[in-house]
Amino acid sequence: MSKERIQICPEFFDIMPPEYQDLVTNATWGKEGRGWKDVGVNKELIEQHSLCAGCPESMAFRYILASLPAPEDTVMVGSTGCTSLVFPHVGVHNIHSLFGNQNAIASGLKRALMVRFPDRVKDVVVLAGDGATVDIGLDYTLQSWFRQEKFTTICFDNELYANTGGQESGLMQKGFVAKMAPVGKKFDKVRLPEIAKESGCHYIVNCTVSKPSLVEKVVRNAVLIAREIGPTYLQLYTPCILEIGKNSMEGLQEMRDSEKPGERFAYKEFMSDEAKAFLADLAEKDKAKKASAKEALAQA
Amino acid sequence: MSQYSVRPGPEAFLPPAAASMGNVLPDPGQAHINGRIVPEEEAFAHGARVFLSAKVPTIFPGPLVLWAWNEKAKRKATAIKHLYDTMKECAPKGATPMLIPMPDYRPKYPKINPEVEINPNHPNLTIWHNKIDACIFVGVHCHQANLSLKIIRGGTNCYTMAMCAQAGHEDACLSFRDLTVEKIMHFAEWVKKLKGSVEFNSIAQYTNGART
């Protein structure tokens, strides 16, 4: 995994549009420990997007793309929704699936990549909205977890169908009235993180994207655990500011309000014993690496 | 046999796919001109004449040759650059050969910069902006090439050529198949060979005519 894999043929370097020149020279391909702090300093894997001004989903996209451990060896699978407006702008291989079957696509893709590239680690990350993950695609989502497919599922939970004008979704909170759900939700928000735990996911996090360092940590953990052990699931609150009646600058505050203790997006994490052991081992190795680097520096 | 002749447009908002009109792809060693199957050498000569007679002959290298995927891609890139340099060297006075990349297939919003790139989803913008009257696609995945070729035929009067590494493109006005480095170099040789023998801005005589 290295920068050498993303190169322009030298004959054509000068005719390429500047953003591509920037992509090969200043993006963080192959950089160990890449993360959200590279945002704004290095070339990002997403710059323009077609989401609404101030949309928290755009923040989430930037943090996630900055946190993927190996973007050059990652394929993302998207589904219908606001995310599908962004994927065409993303500098990572991605596939658009039919509405709801993203986890089925990802299952086949991951298996095919393992056959096609037996000597190389390829990550698959599903990124879909709550409609695709929990309503229309719930069957595919759960079946992939039952089968212990080794990829990460990220759900952008905005608690309604935002892209189509505000219909009720399974992840909408009880009693919420939306533009196209005027009676109000009559039953509780589906507790998908709990279902994910029962379905065999090894790492599950429910949180907002208000803290980039937290998003970086959970994305990295989820991808690495999925790579080695089995399915992982992240449910990230990315409120639709338009559909909940907020202004562009109020998305961040909405997330902060929703993650307070006792609120529905208070940080919740679950790890299987295998995942715990794996992360502990990883931390140990990181520590040893840092210590040896420090020692080498002292000797120099 | 098909009666449909693939010629520069503007043909219609939705020109038919040549394959749907019964046009077939050439066999190895062959090419097609306007949908007519011909020996490859004839197509090389015709393509070179089109390029030399055009005001703005343009090469559109696609992702398969722009990016250094492997050694083969790098060698093809060198050959394409050589073809471009040859075109510049041999083009008559007044012609402006161009080399415009198609870096990937993502739809570009809010807009592309047609001066520096071409996008398969709206290739006509680049053709219009630069007043390109003859172009050649090379290193573009087949599906995206067909999409672009149809859009160009639909909305512009540009003569399209395609150098395909697979079986060729029915939707180009002229298409080669089984592209290799040697074939690109051979095409450059034809351009060199015909230098001075073609009248500048006479592209119409190679592209016009009634559909047969």
Side-chain angles (χ1 to χ4, degrees), chain B residues 7-124:
Chain B
R7 293 182 182 282
E11 186 168 343
F13 177 57
L14 286 172
S20 74
M21 303 300 284
N23 287 23
V24 294
L25 290 169
D27 285 329
Q30 297 177 324
H32 85 75
I33 301 174
N34 303 128
R36 185 173 50 90
I37 304 295
V38 297
E40 206 169 47
E41 280 304 297
E42 185 181 335
F44 277 125
H46 189 85
R49 282 191 193 98
V50 167
F51 258 172
L52 290 169
S53 64
K55 278 185 182 171
V56 189
T58 302
I59 302 174
F60 293 133
L64 288 168
V65 292
L66 284 171
W67 297 91
W69 305 108
N70 47 41
E71 286 307 311
K72 200 169 159 189
K74 289 182 196 169
R75 287 199 301 275
K76 280 186 182 170
T78 309
I80 293 162
K81 187 71 191 329
H82 171 73
L83 173 63
Y84 174 63
D85 290 339
T86 308
M87 273 166 57
K88 277 200 300 187
E89 184 193 314
C90 301
K93 203 177 165 196
T96 329
M98 296 185 88
L99 182 62
I100 298 180
M102 183 188 282
D104 57 33
Y105 309 131
R106 300 181 290 173
K108 297 286 180 69
Y109 296 114
K111 69 172 186 70
I112 64 154
N113 182 350
E115 273 182 37
V116 296
E117 66 178 313
I118 181 166
N119 186 275
N121 307 289
H122 27 65
N124 49 325

Side-chain angles (χ1 to χ4, degrees), chain B residues 15 120 123 135 137 142 144-154 160-162 169-174:
Chain B
C135 69
F137 281 74
C142 293
Q144 302 289 347
N146 276 343
L147 172 74
S148 302
L149 291 164
K150 266 183 66 181
I151 295 173
I152 293 171
R153 213 164 84 232
T160 55
M161 293 185 270
H169 291 279
E170 307 97 333
D171 280 306
C173 301
L174 184 156

Side-chain angles (χ1 to χ4, degrees), chain A residues 28 31-46 58-69 71 209-220 252 256:
Chain A
T28 51
K31 180 185 170 188
E32 215 171 302
R34 62 190 300 277
W36 74 274
K37 285 181 181 164
D38 299 318
V39 170
V41 180
N42 291 90
K43 173 75 174 176
E44 288 181 56
L45 301 183
I46 177 173
S58 64
M59 295 161 61
F61 251 107
R62 296 180 80 181
Y63 301 154
I64 290 168
L65 289 171
S67 308
L68 293 172
V209 296
S210 69
K211 300 183 186 76
S213 52
L214 182 71
V215 178
E216 178 186 316
K217 188 188 91 178
V218 301
V219 168
R220 191 175 163 76
L252 186 57
R256 285 177 177 159

Side-chain angles (χ1 to χ4, degrees), chain A:
Chain A
M1 288 183 270
S2 71
K3 213 166 182 167
E4 283 71 51
R5 299 260 304 282
I6 313 287
Q7 285 290 333
I8 299 169
C9 287
E11 288 81 5
F12 296 133
F13 190 87
D14 61 329
I15 61 158
M16 283 290 246
E19 60 267 29
Y20 292 90
Q21 296 175 355
D22 207 11
L23 190 69
V24 296
T25 50
N26 296 324
T28 51
W29 311 112
K31 180 185 170 188
E32 215 171 302
R34 62 190 300 277
W36 74 274
K37 285 181 181 164
D38 299 318
V39 170
V41 180
N42 291 90
K43 173 75 174 176
E44 288 181 56
L45 301 183
I46 177 173
E47 283 184 327
Q48 297 181 41
H49 63 78
S50 45
L51 298 171
C52 306
C55 176
E57 201 169 275
S58 64
M59 295 161 61
F61 251 107
R62 296 180 80 181
Y63 301 154
I64 290 168
L65 289 171
S67 308
L68 293 172
E72 64 274 33
D73 279 309
T74 300
V75 184
M76 299 186 81
V77 183
S79 193
T80 306
C82 294
T83 56
S84 50
L85 303 175
V86 183
F87 271 116
H89 308 272
V90 165
V92 173
H93 289 296
N94 60 81
I95 293 178
H96 180 75
S97 67
L98 289 176
F99 201 176
N101 75 353
Q102 62 282 346
N103 279 46
I105 298 271
S107 302
L109 179 64
K110 178 70 186 182
R111 292 178 189 197
L113 289 171
M114 284 166 80
V115 174
R116 173 69 181 79
F117 300 100
D119 304 327
R120 201 183 294 165
V121 178
K122 291 278 184 182
D123 298 320
V124 173
V125 177
V126 168
L127 203 167
D130 47 310
T133 310
V134 183
D135 293 343
I136 297 164
L138 183 63
D139 183 12
Y140 304 99
T141 307
L142 293 184
Q143 295 290 345
S144 72
W145 294 343
F146 297 159
R147 292 192 306 264
Q148 293 287 293
E149 301 287 353
K150 289 185 166 179
F151 62 82
T152 299
T153 305
I154 301 176
C155 172
F156 276 180
D157 179 7
N158 55 16
E159 304 194 302
L160 42 66
Y161 287 80
N163 193 228
T164 46
Q167 292 82 5
E168 178 181 314
S169 89
L171 287 187
M172 182 187 268
Q173 51 186 310
K174 190 177 181 181
F176 192 84
V177 175
K179 281 180 197 161
M180 294 202 190
V183 179
K185 177 93 177 287
K186 289 190 175 159
F187 56 94
D188 282 324
K189 183 179 175 75
V190 174
R191 295 194 294 274
L192 196 62
E194 291 169 40
I195 297 172
K197 183 182 165 189
E198 295 302 323
S199 305
C201 281
H202 291 269
Y203 181 74
I204 301 154
V205 171
N206 178 59
C207 66
T208 78
V209 296
S210 69
K211 300 183 186 76
S213 52
L214 182 71
V215 178
E216 178 186 316
K217 188 188 91 178
V218 301
V219 168
R220 191 175 163 76
N221 285 350
V223 173
L224 295 179
I225 291 170
R227 193 188 279 176
E228 300 296 331
I229 301 171
T232 55
Y233 174 60
L234 304 179
Q235 187 165 318
L236 306 177
Y237 183 43
T238 54
C240 174
I241 45 178
L242 286 188
E243 297 301 334
I244 60 172
K246 301 272 179 183
N247 288 323
S248 292
M249 71 290 282
E250 292 173 331
L252 186 57
Q253 194 55 48
E254 165 63 20
M255 290 191 284
R256 285 177 177 159
D257 291 343
S258 307
E259 67 191 3
K260 287 176 183 162
E263 290 292 333
R264 62 196 187 290
F265 287 99
Y267 184 79
K268 284 187 209 108
E269 184 183 69
F270 164 79
M271 258 187 272
S272 68
D273 291 338
E274 270 176 290
K276 269 182 204 160
F278 171 74
L279 287 184
D281 185 44
L282 208 63
E284 201 61 42
K285 281 179 187 160
D286 275 354
K287 205 172 159 187
K289 206 172 177 184
K290 275 179 192 162
S292 66
K294 203 173 169 185
E295 204 175 310
L297 199 69
Q299 281 175 359

